[in-house]
Amino acid sequence: MTAVIEPGALAPDLALIGVAERARAFCAEYVDGRAGDFERDAWIPAEVVAGLGAYRLWGAVLPKAVGGTGDGMEAFGDLHAEVGRACSSVRSLLTVHSMALHALERWGNAALKLRWREALIEGNLVGAFCLSETETGSDARSVTTTATPVADGFLLNGRKRWVTAGQIAQVLLVFARTPVGVSGFLVDADGPGVSREPVTELLGTRASMVADISFDDVFLPREQLLGREGMGLMLAVDALDIGRLSVASGSVGVIQAALDESLRHAAKRVQGGGPIFDHQLVQRLIARMSVDLQAARLLCTQAGRLKDKRDPGTINATCVAKYYSSTAAMRAAQDAVQILGAVGCGPGSTVARLFRDAKIAEIIEGSTQIQELLIAEAARQEHATRQR
Amino acid sequence: MLDSVSQTARSFIEPRLPRPVSDDEDFFALGTVNSLFAMELVLFVEDSFGTTVPDSELDLANFRTIGAITALVHRLSNTAGAVQAS
């Protein structure tokens, strides 16, 4: 009698494999070869979003000890690098979701955790991060959205811009001004008074389902305040720290993809009697990509390990990783387009998509220039310490 | 006798400041540290003293001075001790 192997019987046991391995399996099943379609459609299909849940990737920012599905922040970086290699837009969903889930775990009260934590870990609900406004970007102190105290809670009014996953998210991490100062709230995106407007024709991460979100007299029970009133800046820094590691790691994935595409093309494209890989000027570009890949990966690993140790140095290490990885991704994507030439500029070009996505990585979660300010200040402090 | 918590906190904080500060001096008011530093302070307290700063204590007032940080650590230690003893 012939043994029959049931469908799915050979699939990996998700309870036994690590988050990075689950990420690879998820990408192989749901994303590899489809990122161009996602970008063209400016949409990530529902089955891909569900696939992140099937592979238990939504909750990876939280350790298993608190009900999460992660293996620590170093592995969190590996996850975002792998998904970033396959598609920056999909990675961006994990970025903002992780920021919201981390904020809930770190700053939320018991009632709020009971209401939303499990659903966010499982991916039954998607989270998003709402800080930017028309006149508010990196300077979180300048938010104009207001949360006015009323009986038993607050009334939220204002408009947030450039909200990644804003078209589909159900739980929003929103920063608003109260009489005490900037404060953080979790908001039900499907509640009364919340409206969304899709943002289209973005330069990059076009499938990240960005929206502008307006709040019109949205009542927030007091339990939806995170931490305490006036602690919003610290809360934003904390969430952005998670986002920066995600973007840094996703940029590692972009460099990997650019290198893969460059090597594939350089091996088969013949000019001057041989493959263009044989040209030393092409090899120089490849070499720089390869070194950048290794350096960026090491910086992300360092930032993740310091997070796992709860070492205060992780804040600066994450800025360094984000700064280096995102700028290196831009270099790599630019060089990959150069190596592929006209093919790299044509419709449906993978490297053109990488180029567009890399530029976004240089801007979000603190632009390159903001990272430079922070890194320079940390260097000054370290220097002063050594001089004493 | 010098408080070892206070000394540990001072050794972490003062290198970030342009000049030494007294225990009750608000070093955020010096204008040379930012909100990133506030988050580093939370991690420093948790890492150095083996404690978790609960939601109810995540108030900037607990991190503005070396004295406030010292008081916070002692408060958290007493709470942990009380829990262990019960």
Side-chain angles (χ1 to χ4, degrees), chain A residues 79-97:
Chain A
L79 154 65
H80 288 241
E82 178 61 21
V83 177
R85 176 199 59 74
C87 178
S88 289
S89 291
V90 176
R91 189 270 307 150
S92 76
L93 300 189
L94 287 177
T95 302
V96 295
H97 180 89

Side-chain angles (χ1 to χ4, degrees), chain A residues 88 91 138 203-205 244 247-248 250-251 254 319 321-334 354-372:
Chain A
S88 289
R91 189 270 307 150
S138 300
L203 169 68
T205 55
R244 282 175 185 154
V247 173
S251 297
V254 169
C319 290
K322 197 273 182 181
Y323 170 71
Y324 190 87
S325 300
S326 60
T327 53
M330 191 69 235
R331 282 195 296 275
Q334 178 176 299
L354 297 173
F355 182 87
R356 291 188 287 272
D357 292 348
K359 176 44 74 178
I360 301 296
E362 285 193 308
I363 294 169
I364 55 172
E365 321 308 10
S367 67
T368 296
Q369 289 68 32
I370 291 291
Q371 307 307 324
E372 287 169 338

Side-chain angles (χ1 to χ4, degrees), chain A residues 103-104 106-113 115-116 147-149 152-154 156 172-188 219-233 235, chain B residues 55-56 58:
Chain A
L104 170 63
R106 187 77 174 88
W107 306 82
N109 54 53
L112 207 53
K113 289 179 187 176
R115 178 177 176 187
W116 273 326
T148 306
D152 300 326
F154 301 86
L156 183 66
L172 307 175
L173 170 54
V174 178
F175 294 88
R177 183 168 300 283
T178 71
V180 179
V182 177
S183 306
F185 298 86
L186 281 187
V187 179
D188 177 358
F219 175 69
L220 303 176
R222 180 158 279 278
E223 70 177 32
Q224 287 178 222
L225 171 69
L226 293 171
R228 302 173 70 159
E229 265 190 83
M231 294 291 287
L233 291 182
L235 205 155
Chain B
D55 177 40
S56 58
L58 284 168

Side-chain angles (χ1 to χ4, degrees), chain A residues 20-81:
Chain A
E21 197 175 339
R22 298 204 303 276
R24 280 190 286 278
F26 161 76
C27 290
E29 181 171 349
Y30 287 99
V31 185
D32 286 339
R34 300 178 67 194
D37 296 338
F38 302 163
E39 184 189 50
R40 183 197 61 223
D41 299 339
W43 190 258
I44 296 169
E47 81 265 15
V48 178
V49 175
L52 286 164
Y55 279 92
R56 302 184 60 70
L57 299 176
W58 287 112
V61 72
L62 299 187
K64 296 184 178 75
V66 296
T69 60
D71 300 319
M73 295 309 289
E74 183 182 347
F76 174 86
D78 293 341
L79 154 65
H80 288 241

Side-chain angles (χ1 to χ4, degrees), chain A residues 106 228 231 310 385 388, chain B residues 14-15 17 42 46 56 58:
Chain A
R106 187 77 174 88
R228 302 173 70 159
M231 294 291 287
R310 297 202 64 73
T385 303
R388 287 180 181 174
Chain B
E14 279 200 339
L17 307 177
V42 175
E46 294 186 337
S56 58
L58 284 168

Side-chain angles (χ1 to χ4, degrees), chain A residues 58-347:
Chain A
W58 287 112
V61 72
L62 299 187
K64 296 184 178 75
V66 296
T69 60
D71 300 319
M73 295 309 289
E74 183 182 347
F76 174 86
D78 293 341
L79 154 65
H80 288 241
E82 178 61 21
V83 177
R85 176 199 59 74
C87 178
S88 289
S89 291
V90 176
R91 189 270 307 150
S92 76
L93 300 189
L94 287 177
T95 302
V96 295
H97 180 89
S98 300
M99 294 164 78
L101 179 53
H102 170 82
L104 170 63
E105 181 61 30
R106 187 77 174 88
W107 306 82
N109 54 53
L112 207 53
K113 289 179 187 176
L114 187 64
R115 178 177 176 187
W116 273 326
R117 183 167 64 181
E118 184 177 350
L120 287 167
I121 288 171
E122 298 299 325
N124 297 325
L125 297 175
V126 173
F129 179 78
C130 305
L131 175 62
S132 294
E133 299 173 358
T134 298
E135 300 297 335
T136 302
S138 300
D139 181 9
R141 287 167 295 194
S142 62
V143 295
T144 60
T145 295
T146 57
T148 306
V150 294
D152 300 326
F154 301 86
L155 274 185
L156 183 66
N157 282 285
R159 180 178 173 83
K160 294 295 182 179
R161 304 210 63 200
W162 316 113
V163 180
T164 295
Q167 296 180 39
I168 65 165
Q170 294 98 348
V171 180
L172 307 175
L173 170 54
V174 178
F175 294 88
R177 183 168 300 283
T178 71
V180 179
V182 177
S183 306
F185 298 86
L186 281 187
V187 179
D188 177 358
D190 295 322
V194 182
S195 58
R196 324 172 193 231
E197 184 180 339
V199 177
T200 58
E201 300 185 42
L202 291 167
L203 169 68
T205 55
R206 291 178 178 172
S208 55
M209 300 184 282
V210 171
D212 291 345
I213 301 184
S214 296
F215 305 97
D216 183 14
D217 278 343
V218 176
F219 175 69
L220 303 176
R222 180 158 279 278
E223 70 177 32
Q224 287 178 222
L225 171 69
L226 293 171
R228 302 173 70 159
E229 265 190 83
M231 294 291 287
L233 291 182
M234 193 190 287
L235 205 155
V237 165
D238 188 33
L240 284 167
D241 181 53
I242 298 297
R244 282 175 185 154
L245 180 59
S246 167
V247 173
S249 303
S251 297
V252 169
V254 169
I255 303 169
Q256 179 73 68
L259 180 59
D260 290 345
E261 290 296 318
S262 298
L263 286 170
R264 195 173 295 127
H265 183 81
K268 71 179 184 190
R269 171 71 167 165
V270 174
Q271 290 288 281
I276 62 171
F277 182 83
D278 291 345
H279 296 287
Q280 291 174 333
L281 292 177
V282 172
Q283 289 179 19
R284 185 171 70 181
L285 300 180
I286 298 285
R288 186 164 72 168
M289 269 186 237
S290 177
V291 173
D292 270 345
L293 175 62
Q294 294 172 59
R297 195 183 294 282
L298 285 169
L299 288 170
C300 290
T301 297
Q302 173 176 261
R305 284 184 183 172
L306 290 173
K307 279 187 181 14
D308 286 333
K309 290 169 59 182
R310 297 202 64 73
D311 186 314
T314 189
I315 304 279
N316 184 55
T318 305
C319 290
V320 171
K322 197 273 182 181
Y323 170 71
Y324 190 87
S325 300
S326 60
T327 53
M330 191 69 235
R331 282 195 296 275
Q334 178 176 299
D335 289 346
V337 171
Q338 194 71 20
I339 289 169
L340 269 75
V343 173
C345 300

